[in-house]
Amino acid sequence: MGEKSSKNSKISRKRFIKNGALALGATALVGCQSTAKNETEGININSGKKYQWKMVTTWPPKFPVVGEGCQLIADWISEMSGGQLTVKVYGGGELAPALETFEAVSSGAAEMGNGASYYWAGKAPSASFFSSVPFGMNAQQMHAWILHGGGYPLWRELYARFNLVPFLSGNTGVQMGGWFNKEINTMEDFKGLKMRMPGLGGKVLVKAGGTAVLSPGSELYTNLERGVIDATEWIGPYHDYLMGFHQIAKFYYSPGWHEPGTVLETIVNKRAYEDLPKHLQAIVASACERLTMWCLSDFEARNNEYLNKIKEESDVEMRSFPKEVMDELRILSQEVIDELVASDPFAKKVYQSFSTFSKGVKSWAGQSEKLFHNLV
Amino acid sequence: MGEKSSKNSKISRKRFIKNGALALGATALVGCQSTAKNETEGININSGKKYQWKMVTTWPPKFPVVGEGCQLIADWISEMSGGQLTVKVYGGGELAPALETFEAVSSGAAEMGNGASYYWAGKAPSASFFSSVPFGMNAQQMHAWILHGGGYPLWRELYARFNLVPFLSGNTGVQMGGWFNKEINTMEDFKGLKMRMPGLGGKVLVKAGGTAVLSPGSELYTNLERGVIDATEWIGPYHDYLMGFHQIAKFYYSPGWHEPGTVLETIVNKRAYEDLPKHLQAIVASACERLTMWCLSDFEARNNEYLNKIKEESDVEMRSFPKEVMDELRILSQEVIDELVASDPFAKKVYQSFSTFSKGVKSWAGQSEKLFHNLV
């Protein structure tokens, strides 16, 4: 499409970032109002000890969907506790660097944090299994594994070592394959490619001869525009549009083989959590988990509309990875998993649970969801 | 498989029903313990007015998954409110007949209820859209429509007429097509067939020449065994196995064309809800919605295992509906929807929202979930 609509979306993107930067003040105000409102109703729920928590996040301030979701958790906690527990949400870089969220909550510098577990694979290699595994499970299957298939106890065991309690607290759904400035026709095209890709997907990219960069969302547009990276994946059409990648990349690939249903997490400092009275612990757990469906549904509800906007407002060309590339990526993905499992005893334990569950749930999907999608 | 394993599963089924019948006492006890526990901690959250609510349900007492889920909502509410609001859960027939849950909550005889909206299509024809539409949307898509696509405001508007507030509060996932004692080879085989099937699916069955029976879960096994009905659908392998249908039916069909992702609901008496202080309203909303992922994940996690058990422990033969039957059922489904929309102005309004959203979200699924399922 023409120059004009491209400019419009550039304006949208600036506004999106600017709103983000301005958001924290407004956010804190909302929290105060909500507390005050409950107090004026004469409910004595506030007569217990009050708690004021901080939540650090891997997202820019007031980031659409995932950052808004953090504020929603804070709002829900404040509402449900009648203001007894309030949570102030910080964007990445405001209280701690985005990718130091894990350390900040582990140390108790903040009581809560929000991100995705593969960001911490450097500290806990098996953490990746609780966010996303290339060619792994989709959102519905990941949630089933975590809640009813043995995932949660393992996740809690792993994070307890870091003084953390993890909560399933968001999902992106099936992601897109990413933004490229050159076509991917054979595996050769990954050689020398510098691409932002976290988690196990990043390790697959390295095996394919590329360089995997782990950087927070706030840096991606600039890095791609300036050529610091050649390509980036992010989430899916809705959020990718807001990030503005269609203005600076030539090709948009599907599917997101590396992230078929990425789980987002809220982490809570274990000591702070255990210091809460039981009813506030229950409120925190409920708010965190409730966000999962809210977040997944937000992406699901808007991706089609924004995919159309990307097609209409830019010259980006849609591409699918060739079958032979997918087949090869799948082989490399299994190699990455095998190496991880061989190097870390806890990863072996997690993968046993993950892979057994995955096999069963995919067999059922072949009789249910797959039939549904091929029917319509 | 042999006689022995068949007997074993008969025993399991009896235990399942027996546990159900005994469950309510234990259930009430758990609630009391949970309240007491919080009180002994010295939190003054209970100093506000206390509320004791009743929840009526369409399920037999302590029914696996869906009935357990109702108790979980009650437990969560009690925990989060520190016992300020307690909810006693009643199985169908204990306080009100299972299929009179809607009236019981509407009138205020009980403050809460749990079931699925298509059970009330006789009172509010458009209600079916908020549970399941034949060839409609799956769980992920339904949740996206309700939470972020315009579904919730319409659902609330409809239920407000009945003095009710609805909450998205469970999902079965893609269901199975049901249990039959004769094969379905052509549309002729539906003629004269007396089958338990609620909602719009039931109307499609009638169009196909069959008789649709709406009966609660508690009656299905006996009705099928005694030939009161010729066939029944229920949910999927996990729950169907617990119901014991594999012991008395010859064929198990897939897919559940009539219920691709049935939403379960918790309804709250509007006046009772508005009489709650804000923090308890927030707690009720959170507990109800949190159950959705818990419930869907429970079905998703166990369906494969129980499908295998059905195959191993019985002589049931698995079947898929022939393509020509599916094509014809789809045409009849659209006729049923068109007639409903023509007969009820509110149904027209709901269907406009539903169908527009459905078209968009399925287009996105073709680039995401469908690719995922065909990849693995």
Side-chain angles (χ1 to χ4, degrees):
Chain A
M1 290 285 286
E3 179 76 355
K4 200 176 165 189
S5 50
S6 212
K7 270 185 195 155
N8 280 344
S9 38
K10 204 139 196 168
I11 291 166
S12 305
R13 188 189 165 266
K14 277 187 188 152
R15 193 172 297 139
F16 164 73
I17 297 291
K18 194 180 161 200
N19 285 343
L22 289 172
L24 197 71
T27 285
L29 192 63
V30 169
C32 295
Q33 284 172 330
S34 156
T35 310
K37 198 174 174 195
N38 279 325
E39 280 171 348
T40 57
E41 283 180 339
I43 306 304
N44 287 330
I45 194 167
N46 292 338
S47 52
K49 182 183 168 190
K50 287 201 179 191
Y51 298 81
Q52 291 179 314
W53 278 15
K54 295 181 281 296
M55 188 199 293
V56 288
T57 71
T58 56
W59 326 112
K62 198 80 174 179
F63 214 35
V65 194
V66 288
E68 285 167 5
C70 294
Q71 186 53 47
L72 209 46
I73 290 175
D75 291 346
W76 286 336
I77 289 174
S78 176
E79 284 165 20
M80 289 193 284
S81 71
Q84 194 185 0
L85 171 57
T86 53
V87 180
K88 185 168 178 179
V89 179
Y90 293 88
E94 292 186 322
L95 195 67
L99 296 182
E100 289 177 23
T101 292
F102 190 84
E103 294 85 334
V105 183
S106 177
S107 71
E111 291 84 359
M112 297 182 90
N114 186 280
S117 67
Y118 55 30
Y119 288 153
W120 334 124
K123 294 194 179 304
S126 54
S128 290
F129 287 116
F130 304 104
S131 50
S132 193
V133 173
F135 300 95
M137 295 191 274
N138 71 359
Q140 190 163 307
Q141 297 167 345
M142 282 296 287
H143 303 165
W145 175 59
I146 290 171
L147 286 171
H148 293 277
Y152 242 148
L154 292 166
W155 198 6
R156 289 184 186 125
E157 185 183 343
L158 176 68
Y159 275 37
R161 298 182 196 169
F162 300 92
N163 190 35
L164 293 170
V165 182
F167 291 100
L168 166 53
S169 198
N171 201 303
T172 63
V174 177
Q175 297 200 2
M176 289 289 282
W179 301 85
F180 297 78
N181 278 311
K182 65 170 190 178
E183 282 187 277
I184 302 294
N185 295 313
T186 70
M187 289 302 288
E188 283 298 308
D189 294 314
F190 285 114
K191 295 228 162 102
L193 189 80
K194 205 167 176 183
M195 181 171 183
R196 188 269 184 186
M197 190 180 278
L200 298 174
K203 289 189 188 295
V204 176
L205 180 65
V206 170
K207 258 193 190 289
T211 305
V213 180
L214 174 57
S215 43
S218 58
E219 297 169 13
L220 294 185
Y221 184 91
T222 308
N223 285 351
L224 186 59
E225 193 177 32
R226 294 186 185 166
V228 177
I229 50 177
D230 305 315
T232 188
E233 59 76 62
W234 181 237
I235 300 180
Y238 174 34
H239 219 278
D240 289 9
Y241 174 90
L242 297 178
M243 297 286 275
F245 297 134
H246 56 295
Q247 296 161 18
I248 50 173
K250 286 187 189 152
F251 303 102
Y252 195 22
Y253 271 83
S254 69
W257 56 272
H258 60 308
E259 303 204 34
T262 305
V263 167
L264 306 179
E265 67 180 16
T266 298
I267 47 179
V268 180
N269 180 278
K270 196 163 183 286
R271 219 167 300 127
Y273 188 68
E274 287 167 358
D275 282 348
L276 287 180
K278 288 277 178 283
H279 72 283
L280 292 184
Q281 288 182 355
I283 282 172
V284 167
S286 189
C288 291
E289 286 193 0
R290 181 185 180 190
L291 191 73
T292 310
M293 183 172 67
W294 182 92
C295 174
L296 176 60
S297 295
D298 202 10
F299 286 122
E300 182 80 352
R302 301 195 207 297
N303 274 332
N304 187 64
E305 177 190 348
Y306 282 83
L307 186 57
N308 288 338
K309 282 167 82 79
I310 288 168
K311 289 176 188 170
E312 285 161 15
E313 297 177 15
S314 75
D315 298 319
V316 165
E317 294 180 40
M318 304 299 300
R319 290 285 186 277
S320 298
F321 294 112
K323 189 183 176 306
E324 64 189 31
V325 168
M326 291 294 278
D327 290 345
E328 189 61 31
L329 288 172
R330 183 197 288 269
I331 292 167
L332 296 183
S333 296
Q334 193 56 52
E335 285 179 22
V336 163
I337 292 168
D338 291 344
E339 285 165 17
L340 168 58
V341 163
S343 71
D344 183 86
F346 198 77
K348 187 179 177 185
K349 191 171 159 182
V350 177
Y351 184 60
Q352 272 171 349
S353 169
F354 182 98
S355 58
T356 303
F357 188 88
S358 175
K359 200 178 159 196
V361 82
K362 286 184 181 183
S363 172
W364 164 241
Q367 301 251 6
S368 56
E369 293 286 349
K370 184 175 177 173
L371 294 183
F372 168 79
H373 285 293
N374 289 327
L375 198 71
V376 289
Chain B
M1 290 287 287
E3 179 75 356
K4 202 176 164 189
S5 52
S6 210
K7 271 184 194 153
N8 281 345
S9 41
K10 203 137 197 171
I11 291 166
S12 306
R13 188 188 165 266
K14 277 187 188 151
R15 194 171 297 139
F16 164 73
I17 296 291
K18 197 180 160 199
N19 285 343
L22 290 172
L24 195 70
T27 285
L29 192 64
V30 169
C32 294
Q33 284 172 329
S34 154
T35 309
K37 200 174 174 193
N38 279 325
E39 280 170 348
T40 57
E41 284 181 338
I43 306 306
N44 287 328
I45 194 167
N46 292 338
S47 54
K49 183 183 168 190
K50 286 201 180 192
Y51 298 82
Q52 292 179 313
W53 277 16
K54 294 181 282 295
M55 188 199 293
V56 288
T57 71
T58 56
W59 326 113
K62 198 78 174 179
F63 213 36
V65 194
V66 287
E68 285 167 5
C70 295
Q71 186 54 46
L72 208 47
I73 289 175
D75 291 346
W76 285 335
I77 288 174
S78 176
E79 284 165 19
M80 288 193 284
S81 71
Q84 193 185 359
L85 171 57
T86 54
V87 181
K88 186 167 178 178
V89 179
Y90 293 89
E94 291 186 323
L95 195 69
L99 296 183
E100 289 176 23
T101 293
F102 189 85
E103 294 85 333
V105 183
S106 177
S107 71
E111 291 84 359
M112 295 181 92
N114 185 280
S117 67
Y118 55 31
Y119 290 151
W120 334 124
K123 295 194 179 302
S126 54
S128 289
F129 287 116
F130 304 104
S131 49
S132 194
V133 173
F135 300 95
M137 295 191 273
N138 71 359
Q140 189 164 308
Q141 296 167 345
M142 282 295 287
H143 303 165
W145 175 57
I146 290 171
L147 287 171
H148 292 277
Y152 243 148
L154 292 166
W155 198 7
R156 289 183 187 127
E157 185 182 345
L158 176 68
Y159 275 35
R161 297 183 196 167
F162 299 92
N163 190 35
L164 294 169
V165 182
F167 291 101
L168 167 53
S169 196
N171 202 302
T172 63
V174 177
Q175 298 201 1
M176 288 289 283
W179 301 85
F180 297 78
N181 279 311
K182 66 171 191 178
E183 283 187 278
I184 302 294
N185 295 313
T186 71
M187 288 302 289
E188 283 298 308
D189 295 313
F190 285 114
K191 295 230 162 98
L193 189 80
K194 207 167 174 182
M195 181 171 183
R196 187 268 185 187
M197 190 179 279
L200 298 174
K203 289 190 188 293
V204 175
L205 180 64
V206 170
K207 259 193 190 290
T211 305
V213 180
L214 173 57
S215 44
S218 58
E219 297 168 13
L220 295 185
Y221 183 92
T222 308
N223 285 352
L224 186 60
E225 192 177 31
R226 294 185 184 166
V228 177
I229 50 177
D230 305 315
T232 188
E233 59 76 61
W234 181 237
I235 301 180
Y238 174 34
H239 219 278
D240 288 10
Y241 174 91
L242 297 177
M243 297 286 276
F245 298 133
H246 56 295
Q247 296 162 18
I248 50 172
K250 287 187 189 151
F251 303 102
Y252 194 21
Y253 270 82
S254 69
W257 56 273
H258 61 308
E259 303 203 34
T262 306
V263 167
L264 307 179
E265 66 180 17
T266 298
I267 47 179
V268 179
N269 180 279
K270 196 164 184 286
R271 219 167 301 125
Y273 188 70
E274 287 167 357
D275 282 349
L276 287 180
K278 289 276 179 285
H279 72 283
L280 292 182
Q281 288 182 356
I283 282 173
V284 167
S286 189
C288 291
E289 286 193 0
R290 182 185 179 190
L291 191 73
T292 309
M293 182 173 66
W294 183 92
C295 174
L296 176 59
S297 295
D298 202 11
F299 286 121
E300 182 80 353
R302 302 196 205 296
N303 274 331
N304 187 63
E305 176 190 348
Y306 282 83
L307 187 57
N308 288 338
K309 283 167 83 80
I310 288 167
K311 290 176 188 169
E312 285 161 15
E313 297 177 15
S314 76
D315 298 320
V316 165
E317 294 180 40
M318 303 299 301
R319 291 284 186 278
S320 298
F321 294 112
K323 188 184 177 305
E324 65 188 30
V325 168
M326 291 292 279
D327 290 346
E328 189 62 31
L329 288 172
R330 183 196 288 268
I331 291 166
L332 296 182
S333 297
Q334 193 56 52
E335 285 179 22
V336 163
I337 292 168
D338 291 345
E339 285 165 17
L340 167 59
V341 164
S343 72
D344 182 87
F346 197 78
K348 187 177 175 186
K349 191 171 159 184
V350 176
Y351 184 61
Q352 272 172 348
S353 170
F354 182 99
S355 59
T356 304
F357 188 88
S358 175
K359 199 177 158 198
V361 82
K362 286 185 181 185
S363 171
W364 164 241
Q367 300 252 4
S368 56
E369 293 285 349
K370 183 174 178 173
L371 294 184
F372 168 79
H373 286 292
N374 288 327
L375 197 71
V376 290

